[in-house]
Amino acid sequence: MLFTEVCGLPVIPQEGTAPLGTVTSLDVDVVSGTVSHVRWRGGRFRRETALPWDAVHTVGPGAVRVRSAALEPVPPHHDHELLGRRILTETGTERGTVLDVAFDTLSARLLALFTTRGELPPGRLLGLGDYALVVRAV
């Protein structure tokens, strides 16, 4: 599934039908190459909340179902999101911008990054900072 397909989906508790909110983004752990958190906005004050990937029961075309409503503090947003992020090699060469990311909804493993310069395998990811996603040069 693609990150852009997940953004905007309702977040629904596994045992309920009323949405808690709407997915705003997915955070990534670059070291493990996996989705680490689902970010969603909802509730009375429309606050953004992060739910660890382990709490996700299923991700489908209609909703993200979560096992638990137990929420953890929201990690800094800009440190973990890939969409729209500038890409640089470890030597500082610009390699475009991240357009979308394909991932496995069962394991949360990243499968491919789609950039303005083509597809990038997740094995080339080195780090993610405030300024850019850093990748291994080919």
Side-chain angles (χ1 to χ4, degrees), residues 27 35-40 49-57 64-73 75 108:
D27 288 350
V35 175
S36 61
H37 290 82
V38 174
R39 290 182 175 277
W40 55 278
T49 306
L51 193 63
W53 185 262
D54 294 345
V56 172
H57 176 63
V64 173
R65 290 210 174 259
V66 295
R67 287 188 182 94
S68 166
L71 308 174
E72 64 179 45

Side-chain angles (χ1 to χ4, degrees), residues 9-12 18-23 40-43 46:
L9 289 178
V11 176
I12 301 174
L20 300 170
T22 303
V23 176
W40 55 278
R41 188 174 302 278
R46 304 281 303 153

Side-chain angles (χ1 to χ4, degrees), residues 3 8 11 20 25 27 30 37 73-75 84 86-87 89 94 98 103 105 117 132:
F3 277 24
V11 176
L20 300 170
S25 65
D27 288 350
V30 173
H37 290 82
V74 179
R86 181 179 188 187
I87 304 166
T89 66
E94 185 155 349
V98 178
F103 73 106
T105 58
R117 295 202 179 172

